Every structure is written in C-alpha cells, then in structure tokens.
Amino acid sequence: SFSLSTVSQTSTVDADVSVDQQLPRAHTCFFSINLPRYSCDNVMAERLKYAMYNCIEMDADFRLADTE
C-alpha cells in the first residue's frame, strides 16, 4: 500500500530553504512520499505538480547510468 508522511521541521535536509520552496520526496521502491509541512493546500498542490512534471530521475537511475 501507499504511505504518506510529513518531513520534520527540524530536518537538516533543505534546512536553508523555506518550507514552501521545498519539493516532496518520493521513494518509489517503498511506495511512499514525504511532504514538508507546507503553509497551505495550494502550496502543496503547486509543489506536487511541479515535482510530477519536472522529475528527471527516479531513485537510483542516475547511478545505474554511470555503471553502464
């Protein structure tokens, strides 16, 4: 099943970037997505759409390409 979780505000990942500017992080092998605590639903929707349409790699794809 699919899992949805939020990212801790104290996380060091993207700590220097505003929460509303952070993108969600997906883990396709675990069917899960981590969402920052966005300020509102509209920001969350914008960030999810941006991530879906602009994703350039999935999981370890970039590492696999280096070994081929």
Side-chain angles (χ1 to χ4, degrees):
S1 69
F2 189 79
S3 169
L4 185 65
S5 63
T6 57
V7 177
S8 167
Q9 294 286 36
T10 59
S11 172
T12 57
V13 177
D14 299 330
D16 58 336
V17 177
S18 163
V19 173
D20 283 348
Q21 296 302 312
Q22 295 179 20
L23 294 172
R25 295 176 186 255
H27 308 281
T28 55
C29 55
F30 298 112
F31 301 102
S32 66
I33 187 169
N34 296 80
L35 294 173
R37 292 186 183 273
Y38 295 115
S39 60
C40 65
D41 290 346
N42 289 337
V43 172
M44 180 182 64
E46 287 177 22
R47 293 292 161 235
L48 281 168
K49 287 180 207 173
Y50 181 88
M52 287 187 289
Y53 291 115
N54 293 286
C55 177
I56 58 172
E57 61 191 35
M58 287 182 61
D59 294 331
D61 285 352
F62 65 97
R63 284 180 289 220
L64 294 175
D66 290 342
T67 60
E68 293 181 348

